[in-house]
Amino acid sequence: MARIRTVWAALALMGTVTAVAATPVQASPLSVAPATACPTGWGSLEKNDSSATTASVTNIRTGRQTCYDRMVVDVPGAGTGLGYTVEYVDRIRQDGSGRPIPVGGGAVLEVRVAAPAYDHETGEATYPGRAGRPLPGVDLTGYRTFKDARFAGSFEGDTQIGLGVRARLPFRVFVLDDRVVVDVAHNWTGTR
């Protein structure tokens, strides 16, 4: 008799579990992906930080992200004390000489990092870029926003880069340990 009650209790419990499992689940409004999935609000006006370092630029690299293209300027030993000025310009003019540096694209960002591309004690180059030439090792094939990247030079402790982009688009600049990061959005609307 006890065994029959145990079987009935188990069957009753299974029926409850089955009934609960068969109940349709409603999606929470929080689980719906937003229509705008990329960050917006960066703007296209000049961004700067007046910090400076004597640590040297050793590499400039780029990468493609879902919502933006990224340029990273590596300055080992600088920590977070890196300064920069990034702004849209009509043309890049090399510091010191004033020589124009042609940069392709619908708009041009001038990226200035307050760190030399040479050893401040010996004057030896720490980055292999040549004025007016594409950035060594950077291939922008397949990028949505970046179209050209040129080394403009390094003068009096500043390194200057011309970044050609598809159009005047919003961008952000920030410093992580030993590097300056420049992100340029793929569009103004924040859609992918």
Side-chain angles (χ1 to χ4, degrees), residues 15-179:
T16 302
V17 170
T18 304
V20 170
T23 304
V25 176
Q26 296 294 323
S28 164
L30 297 176
S31 67
V32 177
T36 302
C38 295
T40 58
W42 295 345
S44 64
L45 298 178
E46 175 185 311
K47 291 153 181 73
N48 62 54
D49 180 319
S50 61
S51 301
T53 184
T54 57
S56 301
V57 172
T58 59
N59 193 27
I60 302 171
R61 54 198 164 94
T62 60
R64 294 180 291 175
Q65 307 293 324
T66 302
C67 299
Y68 50 86
D69 290 348
R70 171 171 282 181
M71 173 183 279
V72 177
V73 181
D74 293 315
V75 188
T80 56
L82 276 165
Y84 58 82
T85 300
V86 181
E87 65 182 321
Y88 281 103
V89 295
D90 292 332
R91 77 173 20 172
I92 300 291
R93 293 202 172 272
Q94 185 181 41
D95 284 346
S97 72
R99 180 179 137 220
I101 304 287
V103 180
V108 177
L109 273 172
E110 181 177 40
V111 178
R112 291 175 176 271
V113 176
Y118 52 84
D119 182 292
H120 73 281
E121 291 179 8
T122 66
E124 292 292 320
T126 57
Y127 177 71
R130 300 277 181 239
R133 306 291 303 152
L135 298 179
V138 171
D139 180 3
L140 299 178
T141 303
Y143 281 67
R144 286 182 59 189
T145 299
F146 291 174
K147 299 302 173 194
D148 194 10
R150 302 278 170 161
F151 187 72
S154 191
F155 182 73
E156 295 184 348
D158 282 354
T159 297
Q160 184 183 20
I161 303 147
L163 181 59
V165 297
R166 182 172 38 81
R168 187 178 176 123
L169 294 163
F171 67 96
R172 69 177 173 182
V173 184
F174 57 96
V175 174
L176 296 173
D177 280 343
D178 300 336
R179 59 195 175 272

